[in-house]
Amino acid sequence: MYKILNKQDLAPNIEEFLISCPEIARKAQPGQFVVVRIDERGERIPLTIADYDRDKGTITIVVQEAGKTTCRLARLNLGDTLSDVIGPLGIPTHMENIGTIVCAGGGVGIAPVYPVARGFRQFGNRVISIIGARTKELVIWENKINSVSDEFYITTDDGSYGRKGFLSDELQRIVEGGGEIGLVFAVGPTLMMRAVCEVTRPYKLRTIVSLNPIMVDATGMCGACRVSVGGKTKFVCVNGPDFDGHQVDFDQLLSRQRIYLEEEKKALQSYDSACEHGKLK
Amino acid sequence: MKIVPEKVEMSRQAPKVRVTNFNEVALGYSEEEAQQEAKRCLQCKKAPCIEACPVEIDIPSFIARIIEKDYQGAIRKIKEKNLLPAMCGRVCPQEGLCEKACTLAKKYEPVAIGRLERFAADWELQKGNPERSPLPPHTGKRVAIIGSGPAGLSCAGDLARLGHKVTIFEALHKPGGVLVYGIPEFRLPKAIVRWEIEYIRSLGVEVKTGYVIGKIYTLDELFSQGYNAIFIGIGAGLPKFMDIPGENLNGVYSANEFLTRTNLMKAYLFPDYDTPIKIGKRVAVVGGGNVAMDASRTALRLGAKRVFNIYRRSRKEMPARVEEVQNAKDEGVKFNFLTNPVRILGNSKGWVTGIESIRMELGEPDESGRQRPVPIKGSEFTIGVDVVVMAIGAGANPLLPSATPDLKLNKWGYIIADETTGQTSKDGVWAGGDIVSGAATVISAMASGRSSARAIHQYLMESHKSG
């Protein structure tokens, strides 16, 4: 059992959890994730480790409510426990001194970009961070990410905060502006990562994306997370989650992420109605 | 003594009923049936069945105790060699092992050794409170076991009974390995697995779930935490695909995923349980092993109208147990032998619509001694399906080996280990089960866990003397 030590509402339907798991905290590296299972009936979902504190023995995860499991997670509070937190999983983001690196985090990918930006900075890179959200109130972790960045940009789709437009538009401006950029790292919704790759492709600018497909065991055993990279099938859980974005078949990934849309809707409906009738807490 | 030529039948759920539920198909012997069957045993002095048993259970002795109605004595006898008898009585391929060697089998049906083993184990389970012989004093040695499948559990049990302090690290959230994620409820109820693991725990074995060794700790880190020896029994968990077009379409599953969702995550109880599974109306299952049979029968129980098994050789070459093939057939699985998929067809939204296969004929024998199937030109045909399950075997999962560079692997990625002891190229590390042999059986994994336990014990006691 893993105890929730703190919970913070970051934005509508986005919560941050501080979880006690000293062994994982000691080992976690930027880019890695954990698998969380709430209780006996829960499914296993992968969540990126958004931060970790080795001394305090904690990790931070940020959850955006989408399906039944994330909605159930969101209802948990300080002092509640999670049945399982398994990790750290996946290959850590490869860290080296490249020069200038753009770190792009969109939507629910804003928090996960933080440890990566911090890591690259610790390796002596100049870090340009861009975070993008639909609207102002969904912009999270602004100060945290700013604090590990040399340059920092915000975009919102509706222009309510930062520059109006997509994160990829801002990236386009930065790339066009010249300057030596050695690497772009992107994490967030699949469509956003694809857009980032389309910006950098003509410049042959190396782009690493952190993929988030459906997983079950997340240790290489089931193959649910398979994705085509450079024409070869890879398992994101053990071969990734980071891949060369220019090689990823995003259409296939998008399609595979939608496999259980119908079931997810059904699960959420029966959960909501149970909640309304007070059968569940 | 008059010889009874045939086994006493074991009652089972009727096919029409059982495809509508996930309950166990085979219902076990009553006391009377067990008595009748036990009396068929010739009590051979030089019993060939013992030699044929990978863990050398004294079969005539435990059967003799059943005849005497000394069921406690029977289960005690079995547990001298096998700590997981309720499972083995159910899933062990006895027809190729003890029962094949049975003296009766020369002329008649062999003694139903597996069913009798199950009877004795179930007797104890129903009684509750299993007998446990007193444990020896603690040796002061600690052993880490990676993986809680059949190899790890049997190794752990034996080492605990020798007085060592054993900790099992399991990557998933529940212990049991293939026994919980792979083998379906209707063949091996999870309550049985829980019960037998509980027994292993009662010997003082600690089971830590959710520990992915290679990620959370390396083997060297386990040594520095004070473990004196390590046994690796992580199985062959990497699903194989055919590398044909369309395999990443929505609706294509590895057998591992299909079975894990159903068994471990209980997707058949969705939405009461949170994990979903795509329930196909028409399902194709590719492969001819026990896992393919499990997947086919699971698909039916999930609600598929038609299930097509596709296998590239003929029925004779099928690696699945005869009993399982028969079960699948009785339940309505349609078999396509000498058929090999060439591509999976999909629609514009990325969903499976069919599987195109080619007919095969048997040619010259290959390295396995079985006739090699060769395609018949122009014989392609398509079966319309909305779910495809690939059950064509599993390979070595590289997660732990890749974090352990000094562990020698063969060219397929399996761990190289001494055949009798399981000793690996790394000091203080043993390995057994599928991660050494490639995909095999529960009982052979258990046997290798046992022999490694013997070797580890010897190593620990010698280092005890010198240290």
Side-chain angles (χ1 to χ4, degrees):
Chain A
M1 296 294 243
Y2 298 83
K3 207 166 186 166
I4 296 170
L5 300 178
N6 199 11
K7 178 192 182 185
Q8 237 182 302
D9 292 331
L10 295 180
N13 301 326
I14 303 179
E15 286 86 19
E16 173 186 329
F17 291 95
L18 187 71
I19 300 166
S20 167
C21 32
E23 288 169 290
I24 296 175
R26 262 201 295 276
K27 270 297 179 100
Q29 298 286 342
Q32 289 191 298
F33 62 93
V34 288
V35 158
V36 170
R37 196 178 69 121
I38 301 174
D39 57 20
E40 185 52 32
R41 295 184 173 204
E43 63 180 332
R44 296 167 62 102
I45 61 161
L47 292 165
T48 306
I49 302 170
D51 200 358
Y52 46 85
D53 186 323
R54 304 203 198 287
D55 298 331
K56 295 197 178 112
T58 58
I59 65 165
T60 301
I61 53 173
V62 172
V63 179
Q64 180 161 38
E65 292 170 48
K68 177 179 172 187
T69 299
T70 43
C71 288
R72 285 182 63 202
L73 263 175
R75 285 167 172 258
L76 297 178
N77 283 306
L78 180 83
D80 287 341
T81 54
L82 300 167
S83 182
D84 301 280
V85 179
I86 302 173
L89 298 169
I91 301 170
T93 299
H94 178 70
M95 292 283 159
E96 58 182 320
N97 189 325
I98 293 171
T100 299
I101 293 177
V102 176
C103 290
V108 74
I110 297 177
V113 90
Y114 168 71
V116 176
R118 182 179 59 185
F120 277 128
R121 193 115 179 277
Q122 281 164 357
F123 267 75
N125 293 287
R126 200 173 146 262
V127 172
I128 303 173
S129 295
I130 316 170
I131 63 174
R134 267 203 332 272
T135 184
K136 181 179 178 183
E137 59 180 359
L138 297 176
V139 173
I140 59 169
W141 280 27
E142 182 184 342
N143 293 336
K144 260 185 112 159
I145 294 168
N146 195 1
S147 73
V148 295
S149 309
D150 296 281
E151 283 180 43
F152 180 62
Y153 302 94
I154 296 174
T155 64
T156 49
D157 299 0
D158 62 2
S160 53
Y161 196 51
R163 205 185 308 247
K164 180 176 161 70
F166 294 132
L167 174 160
S168 48
D169 302 335
E170 188 69 51
L171 177 67
Q172 181 84 45
R173 270 190 286 275
I174 293 168
V175 173
E176 274 171 4
E180 215 41 26
I181 294 169
L183 179 77
V184 173
F185 176 90
V187 53
T190 304
L191 283 170
M192 166 243 147
M193 291 191 282
R194 181 167 75 177
V196 163
C197 290
E198 290 322 309
V199 169
T200 58
R201 194 189 302 275
Y203 298 89
K204 296 200 171 61
L205 175 50
R206 195 147 75 88
T207 304
I208 300 296
V209 289
S210 174
L211 303 183
N212 52 355
I214 294 169
M215 297 185 186
V216 185
D217 70 291
T219 62
M221 191 265 278
C222 84
C225 64
R226 60 196 191 277
V227 60
S228 188
V229 181
K232 288 207 169 70
T233 293
K234 299 281 180 189
F235 290 3
V236 174
C237 67
V238 288
N239 304 132
D242 291 358
F243 292 96
D244 175 352
H246 295 153
Q247 304 281 323
V248 171
D249 183 340
F250 283 107
D251 289 340
Q252 188 182 79
L253 177 61
L254 279 166
S255 157
R256 290 189 61 80
Q257 283 171 326
R258 294 192 189 115
I259 295 181
Y260 299 106
L261 275 191
E262 244 173 75
E263 286 79 5
E264 276 164 20
K265 217 181 285 166
K266 190 171 149 194
L268 199 55
Q269 274 164 4
S270 71
Y271 175 67
D272 282 346
S273 81
C275 288
E276 274 165 31
H277 292 87
K279 281 187 220 148
L280 294 167
K281 60 165 179 167
Chain B
M1 190 173 82
K2 191 172 168 291
I3 286 174
V4 184
E6 282 166 7
K7 288 180 180 178
V8 174
E9 272 304 314
M10 176 167 51
S11 51
R12 32 183 85 228
Q13 284 196 72
K16 274 199 180 129
V17 178
R18 71 192 191 222
V19 291
T20 64
N21 66 57
F22 273 83
N23 302 336
E24 191 168 20
V25 168
L27 301 171
Y29 277 158
S30 66
E31 182 175 4
E32 196 183 322
E33 288 164 336
Q35 283 295 326
Q36 256 183 55
E37 183 61 28
K39 284 172 188 155
R40 291 183 65 230
C41 176
L42 301 177
Q43 292 292 319
C44 306
K45 282 259 157 13
K46 200 173 162 289
C49 52
I50 303 180
E51 251 174 74
C53 171
V55 295
E56 298 161 341
I57 296 174
D58 187 345
I59 292 163
S61 298
F62 97 73
I63 293 180
R65 283 168 176 75
I66 290 182
I67 297 171
E68 292 158 13
K69 298 197 177 176
D70 173 13
Y71 303 126
Q72 185 68 67
I75 192 67
R76 193 183 301 139
K77 202 74 208 161
I78 294 170
K79 280 193 176 170
E80 281 174 10
K81 302 287 183 174
N82 180 353
L83 293 175
L84 311 169
M87 297 191 220
C88 286
R90 288 171 166 80
V91 302
C92 201
Q94 295 99 3
E95 67 281 2
L97 301 165
C98 53
E99 294 183 14
K100 189 179 177 190
C102 175
T103 309
L104 275 183
K106 286 185 190 132
K107 275 191 165 173
Y108 312 103
E109 281 190 5
V111 175
I113 300 167
R115 294 174 188 176
L116 290 173
E117 180 183 29
R118 170 179 169 169
F119 170 78
D122 286 1
W123 173 86
E124 189 182 49
L125 197 153
Q126 262 143 39
K127 175 181 74 86
N129 193 21
E131 182 185 81
R132 186 165 60 77
S133 44
L135 295 169
H138 181 30
T139 59
K141 300 290 180 185
R142 290 170 69 205
V143 183
I145 303 223
I146 323 300
S148 64
L153 287 175
S154 75
C155 189
D158 280 6
L159 286 167
R161 290 204 292 192
L162 291 163
H164 305 297
K165 179 89 192 75
V166 180
T167 305
I168 300 181
F169 294 92
E170 165 57 46
L172 291 171
H173 57 266
K174 266 198 189 124
V178 73
L179 305 163
V180 295
Y181 77 74
I183 303 177
E185 178 77 18
F186 55 83
R187 207 149 72 76
L188 179 62
K190 301 312 142 206
I192 301 274
V193 180
R194 249 197 326 276
W195 158 264
E196 295 209 313
I197 291 174
E198 220 31 70
Y199 178 75
I200 301 279
R201 276 197 172 119
S202 78
L203 303 173
V205 172
E206 180 190 19
V207 183
K208 292 182 132 180
T209 55
Y211 279 75
V212 183
I213 301 301
K215 288 290 179 191
I216 185 94
Y217 297 121
T218 62
L219 297 188
D220 288 331
E221 283 167 333
L222 289 177
F223 281 126
S224 62
Q225 285 175 20
Y227 291 98
N228 306 98
I230 295 174
F231 174 79
I232 304 172
I234 54 175
L238 193 77
K240 283 188 183 158
F241 288 92
M242 292 186 72
D243 212 11
I244 56 173
E247 269 184 314
N248 291 348
L249 285 165
N250 288 351
V252 182
Y253 287 101
S254 74
N256 272 359
E257 183 185 355
F258 191 72
L259 292 173
T260 299
R261 282 185 182 272
T262 317
N263 299 328
L264 178 71
M265 306 310 298
K266 304 218 180 298
Y268 62 93
L269 299 174
F270 178 87
D272 284 344
Y273 279 67
D274 293 345
T275 304
I277 192 165
K278 244 336 146 191
I279 294 171
K281 288 190 183 64
R282 292 163 62 90
V283 178
V285 177
V286 182
N290 287 320
V291 174
M293 298 307 110
D294 285 346
S296 302
R297 300 172 66 196
T298 295
L300 282 173
R301 284 161 175 77
L302 285 170
K305 298 278 171 284
R306 299 295 295 273
V307 174
F308 304 89
N309 179 271
I310 297 177
Y311 179 52
R312 64 196 181 114
R313 301 179 196 252
S314 73
R315 173 156 183 173
K316 207 172 69 205
E317 285 86 20
M318 275 185 124
R321 294 180 71 185
V322 175
E323 184 187 334
E324 298 308 329
V325 180
Q326 192 58 48
N327 278 333
K329 198 163 172 261
D330 292 345
E331 289 169 12
V333 173
K334 184 157 169 17
F335 285 91
N336 292 266
F337 297 113
L338 291 165
T339 303
N340 203 28
V342 289
R343 63 183 172 130
I344 299 166
L345 309 166
N347 62 21
S348 59
K349 294 204 166 130
W351 283 92
V352 170
T353 56
I355 183 164
E356 184 182 310
S357 305
I358 189 163
R359 300 278 186 210
M360 311 289 276
E361 56 191 353
L362 292 176
E364 295 296 306
D366 63 12
E367 60 272 20
S368 74
R370 298 180 296 181
Q371 283 180 288
R372 187 192 300 274
V374 282
I376 302 169
K377 242 185 152 174
S379 67
E380 289 88 348
F381 69 103
T382 298
I383 304 175
V385 292
D386 50 0
V387 164
V388 173
V389 182
M390 287 291 172
I392 54 167
N397 188 328
L399 194 149
L400 176 62
S402 66
T404 320
D406 47 345
L407 198 60
K408 285 213 175 93
L409 310 176
N410 69 16
K411 63 175 169 176
W412 298 284
Y414 293 108
I415 297 173
I416 297 175
D418 183 272
E419 262 179 51
T420 43
T421 65
Q423 186 155 18
T424 69
S425 59
K426 188 172 167 65
D427 249 5
V429 178
W430 283 258
D434 285 4
I435 190 58
V436 173
S437 61
T441 59
V442 167
I443 190 70
S444 63
M446 283 180 54
S448 71
R450 295 212 75 189
S451 32
S452 285
R454 271 196 292 272
I456 291 168
H457 176 63
Q458 203 180 2
Y459 167 85
L460 292 175
M461 296 332 275
E462 273 166 17
S463 62
H464 190 67
K465 265 182 263 161
S466 60

